[in-house]
């Protein structure tokens, strides 16, 4: 049976970014129905990669070797005849349920890369764009025709708007006729957002203050309240936003960036701090409180939807809706050589980045 040699970033078990090792292994060229083998040119980084390496990601392999990475782009070098018309030589962007930090991947899901896009842009698109659109669909604000029938455009609050998912959400909101209020954690990111979204006013971008200050900031930016909140932060900013949510509104939670630990690993004291923080700062909402206020909270993690990829790609599914929006290429903030994956993860972990971080393989 033919094999392909490849390089992968592998950890023997989760818990320490510094213990990832760049090693060689092989994959066979035999394909299951619908599979392709892609020679990877670029890999997109996600918060899930950081949490996986630190041993904090529930969906990650436990006590066994693992390769992080959920998305990449490259060129098809082997293709099953049932791979949806994809053929050898096609440029594609793909999602993987782990295993993306590799020079070659064998996968069932890929999408042709637009001709004018670079491989780095392709690697920056799949996971976070699908996350953003799916969250907005759950929030009931993703349909342009439905939004046009409302008395006024829906108002969406997007946390961490200068990050990959936040940028996708803001661009999608523009396409579907929604008003967007963006939040960031530092003044440095305001200028970046103003360049990305020239029509945004100063009041459309909030540099988050303390939770009590945040309440006032939310009211100033949108006195009419919010119809959907895209929350990748969690923690102390949950309740001020939930309180500003209008009746029939939905608060969509899909991340907890505020709880990202620093450092290559989490010490016993770090675990205690995380546990204590979770005990004190995990937001709670009583079901009857939501009934009385006529608004709700929904949470999701894209990784658990991988077994529904065919539904996502079907006509009317998330992917087809996403492609119909004809979005511009994503903003790539920093590109690291594949060999510097650990440093890229540390930079991402800092929270100081804008746009998408990408590993360049070739």
């Amino acid at each position: 049976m033919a094999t392909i040699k490849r390089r992968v970033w592998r950890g023997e078990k989760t818990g320490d970014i510094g213990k990832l090792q760049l090693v060689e292994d092989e994959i066979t060229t035999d394909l299951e129905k619908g599979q392709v083998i892609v020679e990877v040119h670029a890999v997109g980084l996600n918060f899930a990669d950081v949490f996986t390496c630190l041993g904090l990601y529930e969906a990650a392999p436990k006590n066994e070797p693992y390769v992080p990475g959920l998305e990449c782009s490259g060129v098809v070098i082997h293709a099953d005849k049932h791979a949806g018309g994809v053929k050898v030589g096609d440029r594609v962007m793909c999602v993987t349920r782990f295993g993306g930090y590799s020079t070659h991947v064998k996968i069932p899901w890929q999408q042709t890369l637009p001709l004018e896009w670079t491989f780095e842009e392709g690697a920056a698109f799949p996971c976070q764009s699908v996350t953003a659109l799916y969250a907005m669909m759950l929030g009931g604000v993703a349909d342009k025709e439905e939004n046009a029938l409302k008395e006024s455009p829906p108002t969406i609050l997007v946390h961490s708007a200068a990050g990959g998912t936040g940028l996708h959400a803001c661009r999608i909101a523009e396409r579907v006729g929604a008003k967007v209020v963006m939040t960031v954690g530092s003044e440095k990111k305001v200028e970046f957002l103003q360049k990305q979204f020239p029509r945004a006013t100063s009041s459309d971008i909030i540099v988050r203050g303390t939770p009590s200050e945040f309440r006032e900031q939310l009211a100033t930016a949108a006195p009419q309240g919010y119809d959907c909140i895209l929350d990748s932060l969690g923690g102390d900013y949950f309740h001020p936003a939930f309180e500003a949510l209008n009746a029939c509104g939905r608060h969509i939670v899909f991340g907890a960036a505020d709880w990202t630990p620093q450092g290559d690993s989490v010490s016993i004291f770090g675990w205690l701090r995380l546990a204590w923080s979770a005990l004190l700062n995990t937001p709670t909402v009583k079901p009857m409180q939501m009934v009385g206020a006529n608004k709700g909270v929904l949470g999701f993690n894209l990784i658990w939807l991988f077994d529904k990829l065919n539904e996502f790609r079907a006509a009317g599914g998330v992917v087809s809706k996403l492609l119909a929006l004809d979005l511009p290429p994503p903003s790539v903030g920093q590109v690291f050589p594949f060999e510097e994956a650990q440093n890229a993860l540390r930079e991402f972990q800092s929270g100081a980045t804008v746009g998408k971080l990408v590993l360049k393989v070739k």
Side-chain angles (χ1 to χ4, degrees):
M1 185 179 298
T3 61
I4 296 172
K5 289 185 177 181
R6 64 176 187 169
R7 293 184 299 153
V8 300
W9 279 100
R10 177 179 293 126
E12 289 306 307
K13 63 177 182 178
T14 61
D16 194 328
I17 292 173
K19 290 186 178 179
L20 281 175
Q21 291 184 311
L22 187 56
V23 299
E24 286 191 357
D25 71 3
E26 295 180 345
I27 55 172
T28 63
T29 57
D30 63 311
L31 299 172
E32 296 179 4
K33 184 176 180 180
Q35 281 190 327
V36 299
I37 296 177
V38 175
E39 182 181 59
V40 176
H41 285 235
V43 180
L45 271 66
N46 292 280
F47 262 111
D49 303 344
V50 174
F51 277 75
T52 293
C53 294
L54 292 175
L56 299 172
Y57 197 50
E58 185 179 351
K62 301 292 191 295
N63 298 315
E64 62 181 271
Y66 74 99
V67 176
L70 304 179
E71 60 187 341
C72 57
S73 66
V75 176
V76 175
I77 58 173
H78 293 276
D80 177 68
K81 63 181 179 180
H82 300 291
V86 173
K87 60 187 184 299
V88 172
D90 283 353
R91 301 164 73 247
V92 294
M93 45 189 174
C94 358
V95 294
T96 66
R97 199 180 192 280
F98 305 108
Y101 285 30
S102 174
T103 59
H104 298 78
V105 294
K106 185 189 296 188
I107 49 157
W109 194 99
Q110 27 58 39
Q111 182 66 44
T112 303
L113 187 66
L115 287 175
E116 65 276 15
W117 287 22
T118 66
F119 285 111
E120 290 77 18
E121 290 167 339
F125 188 75
C127 282
Q128 292 177 331
S129 62
V130 170
T131 295
L133 180 58
Y134 187 67
M136 292 173 67
M137 290 170 67
L138 291 176
V141 293
D143 190 292
K144 184 175 182 178
E145 293 181 1
E146 290 182 6
N147 289 343
L149 295 174
K150 297 174 181 177
E151 291 185 8
S152 58
T155 300
I156 305 173
L157 180 70
V158 178
H159 278 309
S160 300
T165 304
L167 288 168
H168 285 304
C170 294
R171 291 191 175 113
I172 293 169
E174 284 188 331
R175 286 287 200 272
V176 300
K179 172 180 170 56
V180 183
V181 175
M182 316 173 202
T183 86
V184 291
S186 71
E187 288 281 357
K188 295 185 297 184
K189 299 183 179 182
V190 173
E191 182 179 356
F192 170 78
L193 285 176
Q194 289 173 331
K195 290 179 179 178
Q196 296 292 316
F197 304 100
R199 288 183 291 178
T201 66
S202 58
S203 63
D204 292 334
I205 305 173
I206 296 174
V207 180
R208 296 183 300 272
T210 64
S212 60
E213 291 170 339
F214 189 51
R215 284 184 172 85
E216 298 177 8
Q217 291 173 309
L218 290 172
T220 300
Q224 74 277 16
Y226 299 84
D227 302 293
C228 179
I229 295 163
L230 303 188
D231 190 350
S232 57
L233 293 178
D236 293 337
Y237 294 100
F238 175 89
H239 278 294
F242 182 73
E243 291 164 11
L245 192 63
N246 292 328
C248 299
R250 296 170 190 172
H251 191 134
I252 314 299
V253 182
F254 55 91
D258 260 13
W259 292 355
T260 306
Q262 299 302 305
D264 280 8
S265 61
V266 183
S267 67
I268 184 63
F269 298 106
W271 281 105
L272 290 172
R273 282 195 298 271
L274 283 172
W276 183 249
S277 179
L279 179 65
L280 293 181
N281 299 323
T282 299
T284 57
V285 179
K286 297 178 181 179
M288 293 311 296
Q289 178 186 355
M290 289 189 286
V291 172
N294 194 26
K295 53 188 180 183
V297 178
L298 291 168
F300 79 96
N301 182 346
L302 193 66
I303 195 75
W304 299 116
L305 302 175
F306 268 61
D307 60 345
K308 298 183 181 293
L309 287 177
N310 288 335
E311 296 175 29
F312 271 35
R313 300 193 71 187
V318 179
V319 175
S320 61
K321 289 180 183 293
L322 188 62
L323 297 176
L325 291 172
D326 192 25
L327 295 170
S331 175
V332 176
Q334 291 176 259
V335 179
F336 288 77
F338 182 65
E339 293 76 15
E340 295 182 16
Q342 291 169 313
N343 290 335
L345 286 166
R346 292 171 185 132
E347 180 67 17
F348 193 28
Q349 191 181 20
S350 73
T353 62
V354 295
K356 182 78 168 183
L357 267 64
V358 172
L359 301 177
K360 184 178 179 64
V361 180
K362 62 181 299 179

